[in-house]
Amino acid sequence: MAGSNQEHEAESWPPAIYHQMPAILEYLEDHRVVVVSAAPGSGKSSVLPRCLAESGYGPVLCAQPRHLAAFVAMAKVGEEWDSDIEFTTTRQLLDRFSSPAPVLAGYGAVVIDEAHDRTLGTDVLLGMVKAALATGTTMGGRCKVVVCTAGGPADGMLSAFFGGAPVVSIPRAAHQVEVRYSRGPVLDMAAAVADEVAAIHASQPPGDVLVFLPENADIIGVHARLLGLPVPGLAVRYVHDNLPAELIDIMLINSPVPDGRRRVVLATDVAETAVLVHGITYVVDTGLVSEQPPVRISKEAAAARAAIAGFSGPAAATGSTSRRSTMISTSTPSHTSGKMARPSVLKNVFGQLVNGGYLDKLGNLSDKGEREAYDED
């Protein structure tokens, strides 16, 4: 039944990444960097680090773009791996690079998860890691690097950025997802989303609904709207990056939905990358991500969100996905909105790039830098 605890398990067993671990390990024997392309729920955030540690690449450092993602992945790995696997955030790892200590030298492997999430922090971190590897044993030791993405154009760009790093792709669920688009501008997001959920509940077969909203305030607004509608039979849950740890299980796992009710999960983009919400048949996507002001997501991100409706099995083939805004054609890094990293980090980035031969002392690209520049186009 939709909404049952069995459908809320963190991952199917065995996770899909198990089938590709032999290829990943084989590539790591001859390459410093391997790109792993896999959909959410494949096990790349929790099973991959455990397999690396088991294969002699410990200690393993795993960097996640969000605190919630790091917490969830750490909980899945289990306490028995505390000494071999360490979880951190992209920002915290960048802070380490602001010191002169060789950050990578103390690890057998570093996993950079959600590298397709084009934030300034992720882009700078990738540059720092590349520069550290270029300096050899002084900064990088013999550390191996596994860069994980959710697939799409980022795979080829990251492979080229790291000098032709091999890409290991994990097959995705192939269940068909019907996509529907809203007509005309949406003037009241909360009202429009609540009306769409009500329409799905009134006209579509049983199945849980996942709603993507840009910010926590939007979750509060939609939640209030849904509670105010004369629509019986809904069980509303929510998840966002600031959700206290003790509420994660309550909201997504250990909160049974009464028989006959349809679960509706209101979420920010953490449900796209940090937490896979299982049992979803319908996805309502506002097409926005939290920025100041909110910005539209890319076509690739929209497709990934829509695909969540196809993870649950053949029943999802009858589901519909509503996306409520026009999608832009290519990924737009969030650092174009003007966010800046800490000066100490950027200063150290410059030094690393000079030492690696990518820039001269005046900050100009060297021939090596020209050849290996990360071109997002």
Side-chain angles (χ1 to χ4, degrees):
M1 166 179 179
S4 66
N5 286 348
Q6 287 81 0
E7 291 186 51
H8 297 173
E9 293 178 1
E11 291 164 347
S12 59
W13 194 262
I17 201 164
Y18 265 128
H19 303 294
Q20 298 296 330
M21 280 309 304
I24 294 171
L25 294 173
E26 182 177 353
Y27 279 130
L28 284 176
E29 290 182 3
D30 301 319
H31 299 81
R32 297 294 299 276
V33 181
V34 173
V35 177
V36 174
S37 174
S42 61
K44 64 181 185 296
S45 299
S46 55
V47 177
L48 173 60
R50 197 162 61 218
C51 289
L52 290 173
E54 288 176 342
S55 301
Y57 287 103
V60 180
L61 178 63
C62 306
Q64 297 281 348
R66 298 172 179 83
H67 288 281
L68 180 62
F71 173 83
V72 171
M74 180 171 57
K76 291 178 184 178
V77 166
E79 295 180 359
E80 66 272 21
W81 293 97
D82 282 354
S83 61
D84 291 318
I85 303 174
E86 176 185 350
F87 286 91
T88 186
T89 65
T90 301
R91 170 63 68 185
Q92 290 168 338
L93 185 52
L94 273 175
D95 286 344
R96 298 189 194 184
F97 273 103
S98 65
S99 70
V103 176
L104 303 184
Y107 298 96
V110 170
V111 178
I112 302 175
D113 206 358
E114 311 299 346
H116 60 279
D117 189 10
R118 299 297 310 283
T119 64
L120 175 61
T122 300
D123 280 1
V124 173
L125 178 60
L126 292 170
M128 295 292 286
V129 168
K130 179 175 180 177
L133 294 177
T135 60
T137 57
T138 304
M139 293 296 293
R142 297 310 305 162
C143 179
K144 303 287 187 173
V145 177
V146 180
V147 181
C148 298
T149 79
D155 296 348
M157 291 189 293
L158 287 166
S159 173
F161 179 59
F162 284 105
V167 178
V168 178
S169 297
I170 308 232
R172 297 167 173 268
H175 306 299
Q176 182 180 358
V177 176
E178 177 189 354
V179 179
R180 301 175 183 175
Y181 296 90
S182 64
R183 295 183 178 180
V186 174
L187 302 179
D188 187 334
M189 181 191 301
V193 169
D195 289 345
E196 179 67 16
V197 171
I200 290 173
H201 188 52
S203 64
Q204 298 298 323
D208 292 350
V209 182
L210 174 61
V211 180
F212 281 103
L213 296 158
E215 296 183 344
N216 297 356
D218 301 306
I219 289 178
I220 295 172
V222 173
H223 188 272
R225 285 274 187 172
L226 288 173
L227 293 181
L229 290 177
V231 180
L234 295 179
V236 183
R237 306 287 186 261
Y238 55 86
V239 60
H240 52 76
D241 202 27
N242 295 322
L243 190 67
E246 61 270 17
L247 290 183
I248 296 175
D249 283 352
I250 294 175
M251 284 295 169
L252 299 181
I253 301 174
N254 295 323
S255 181
V257 175
D259 288 349
R261 292 203 174 195
R262 189 192 300 268
R263 184 177 59 136
V264 178
V265 181
L266 310 178
T268 59
D269 60 347
V270 298
E272 178 189 345
T273 57
V275 178
L276 176 61
V277 183
H278 286 262
I280 296 300
T281 306
Y282 307 96
V283 174
V284 177
D285 186 1
T286 61
L288 299 173
V289 67
S290 178
E291 294 287 347
Q292 294 299 326
V295 298
R296 293 177 294 176
I297 61 173
S298 67
K299 282 186 176 180
E300 293 83 10
R305 290 181 174 187
I308 295 175
F311 288 161
S312 302
T318 61
S320 65
T321 299
S322 297
R323 289 188 290 206
R324 293 196 162 275
S325 72
T326 304
M327 305 302 172
I328 55 178
S329 59
T330 57
S331 295
T332 303
S334 67
H335 56 264
T336 60
S337 64
K339 293 183 179 179
M340 289 300 294
R342 300 177 186 181
S344 60
V345 173
L346 293 179
K347 181 178 179 181
N348 200 258
V349 170
F350 179 77
Q352 294 274 2
L353 294 176
V354 171
N355 291 337
Y358 301 102
L359 300 176
D360 62 26
K361 293 183 178 180
L362 297 178
N364 301 312
L365 277 174
S366 64
D367 291 341
K368 180 178 180 180
E370 288 279 3
R371 290 194 305 271
E372 301 188 22
Y374 184 11
D375 182 0
E376 68 180 66
D377 294 328

